Amino acid sequence: MSQHPDWFRRADAAILQHLSAERPTYVALVANRLGMPTDYAQRRMDRLVEDDLVEPVSAEVVYRITRRGEQRLAAYTDREGTPEPGLVAGN
């Protein structure tokens, strides 16, 4: 049984990994770096915000990972390994 919520995807872990390693950035840049469609990355980012794993840091909607997001990412990578870039929608 997974220790992650049912809604949490590999793509979410990849987004958290990217935000953990980079400065706050726009969702379009995250999508580009991870090989995701921008609209899919935006939906995943919105879900991560809902669960307080990332937060917007400006009116231009630049995101960064939260402490809770760091903890979720650590739990994910301990169990699943580091998420790979180039993910597709649904992962």
Side-chain angles (χ1 to χ4, degrees), residues 3-81:
Q3 63 188 15
H4 308 293
D6 290 340
W7 62 264
F8 195 80
R9 308 277 182 262
R10 259 186 11 176
D12 300 330
I15 290 169
L16 293 177
Q17 178 71 34
H18 179 79
L19 293 175
S20 180
E22 301 291 329
R23 65 177 199 240
T25 192
Y26 299 97
V27 71
L29 294 175
V30 173
N32 181 273
R33 296 271 166 77
L34 297 178
M36 294 177 192
T38 302
D39 60 336
Y40 178 71
Q42 183 64 62
R43 288 193 309 273
R44 299 317 308 158
M45 193 74 76
D46 291 343
R47 186 61 183 94
L48 293 169
V49 168
E50 283 179 33
D51 208 46
D52 195 33
L53 301 179
V54 301
E55 61 189 359
V57 294
S58 75
E60 296 176 358
V61 194
V62 173
Y63 295 94
R64 71 175 165 213
I65 193 168
T66 63
R67 180 164 172 75
R68 185 174 167 161
E70 291 279 3
Q71 292 168 342
R72 175 70 51 81
L73 176 61
Y76 181 90
T77 56
D78 285 349
R79 188 173 181 91
E80 307 290 336

